[in-house]
């Protein structure tokens, strides 16, 4: 395939008028400022108004006024709206992430609180059991001491009773010996 187009018919005088070639009414003169090949020359004092009148030049921006410096102020375009929606989605995702994190923190705090409560309940149960065991131990000890004292008292009484019995037996024996000595002496004195 050849690199050149070959023989192509050219227009007369080899000139192309830009207005006919571009087929735009106000666009060329609005953007460039003048069209040397235009059929008739128009004088327009307010070129910016003309420029903003054609929506093909500025997309779907709508001029809603001017600011304090005299520059035009536009309504949001589709691209700006898309960007805003994207930013809103991003903000929504970040907010959702924060909510999830807050829920996780709350759940962790709740779990820690529940764990602390379980720990305290366990400690309270253990303290209660220890107190009960201590009380039972003390009661057993007191009971044992009472029993021991009672036993000791009983043994002491038994010893005392035994001693008294021995002494009473001894006295009785001594009395009976004394009586028998007296009766033996009196019977011996009778025989003398």
């Amino acid at each position: 395939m050849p690199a050149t187009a070959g023989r192509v018919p050219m227009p007369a005088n080899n000139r192309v008028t830009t207005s006919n070639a571009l087929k735009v009414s106000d666009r060329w003169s609005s953007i460039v400022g003048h069209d040397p090949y235009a059929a008739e020359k128009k004088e327009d004092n307010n070129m910016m108004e003309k420029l903003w009148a054609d929506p093909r030049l500025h997309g779907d921006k709508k001029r809603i006024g001017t600011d304090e410096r005299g520059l035009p102020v536009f309504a949001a375009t589709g691209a700006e709206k898309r960007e805003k929606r994207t930013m809103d989605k991003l903000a929504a995702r970040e907010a959702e992430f924060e909510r999830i994190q807050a829920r996780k923190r709350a759940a962790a705090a709740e779990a820690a609180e529940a764990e602390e409560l379980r720990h305290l309940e366990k400690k309270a149960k253990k303290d209660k059991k220890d107190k009960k065991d201590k009380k039972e131990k003390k009661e057993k000890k007191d009971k044992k001491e009472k029993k021991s004292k009672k036993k000791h008292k009983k043994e002491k009484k038994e010893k005392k009773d035994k001693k008294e019995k021995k002494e009473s037996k001894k006295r009785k024996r001594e009395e009976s010996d004394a009586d028998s000595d007296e009766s033996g002496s009196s019977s011996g004195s009778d025989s003398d």
Side-chain angles (χ1 to χ4, degrees):
M1 188 163 210
T4 58
R7 193 154 167 86
V8 177
M10 297 299 246
N13 298 332
N14 202 14
R15 292 191 178 224
V16 178
T17 57
T18 54
S19 296
N20 290 336
L22 293 174
K23 293 285 186 197
V24 291
S25 57
D26 296 326
R27 186 181 284 183
W28 180 263
S29 59
S30 298
I31 293 172
V32 175
H34 80 284
D35 185 3
Y37 304 107
E40 36 179 274
K41 194 166 184 161
K42 293 181 183 176
E43 291 280 331
D44 194 4
N45 295 336
N46 198 352
M47 235 188 254
M48 284 302 286
E49 288 296 324
K50 210 173 207 183
L51 185 66
W52 291 111
D54 189 2
R56 294 174 293 175
L57 292 176
H58 52 75
D60 53 357
K61 287 186 182 178
K62 291 181 183 163
R63 184 172 179 193
I64 56 174
T66 58
D67 63 0
E68 62 274 356
R69 295 181 298 172
L71 297 174
V73 177
F74 307 104
T77 65
E80 289 170 346
K81 287 178 185 176
R82 280 190 298 278
E83 188 174 334
K84 187 175 185 302
R85 279 195 301 267
T86 304
M87 294 306 286
D88 289 346
K89 284 179 187 176
L90 180 63
R93 279 195 296 261
E94 287 175 358
E96 181 64 23
F97 179 75
E98 282 302 316
R99 280 194 294 272
I100 290 169
Q101 292 300 317
R103 274 189 246 141
K104 282 182 181 178
R105 285 191 295 270
E110 198 174 293
E113 191 176 301
E115 183 64 33
E116 182 68 24
L117 187 63
R118 276 195 297 272
H119 177 70
L120 290 175
E121 285 176 354
K122 206 174 187 182
K123 189 176 180 184
K125 272 186 179 180
K126 187 179 179 192
D127 289 346
K128 191 175 179 181
K129 188 179 179 195
D130 288 348
K131 196 174 183 181
K132 188 178 177 184
D133 288 347
K134 206 174 190 180
K135 189 177 179 182
E136 286 177 0
K137 212 174 188 180
K138 188 177 181 186
E139 285 175 358
K140 279 184 180 180
K141 189 178 178 183
D142 290 346
K143 200 173 182 181
K144 196 174 182 181
E145 282 180 9
K146 264 187 179 179
K147 201 173 184 182
S148 174
K149 281 183 182 179
K150 203 173 184 182
K151 190 177 179 183
H152 185 65
K153 215 176 188 182
K154 194 175 180 183
E155 285 176 359
K156 207 174 183 183
K157 191 175 180 183
E158 285 176 0
K159 276 185 182 180
K160 193 177 179 184
D161 288 345
K162 264 188 178 179
K163 197 176 182 182
E164 284 179 5
K165 276 186 182 179
K166 270 187 180 179
E167 285 180 10
S168 72
K169 275 187 181 180
K170 194 176 181 182
R171 264 189 269 128
K172 278 186 184 179
R173 214 182 301 139
E174 284 176 2
E175 283 178 10
S176 66
D177 283 346
D179 281 342
S180 60
D181 282 344
E182 280 181 24
S183 54
S185 352
S186 57
S187 55
S189 57
D190 286 340
S191 40
D192 283 321

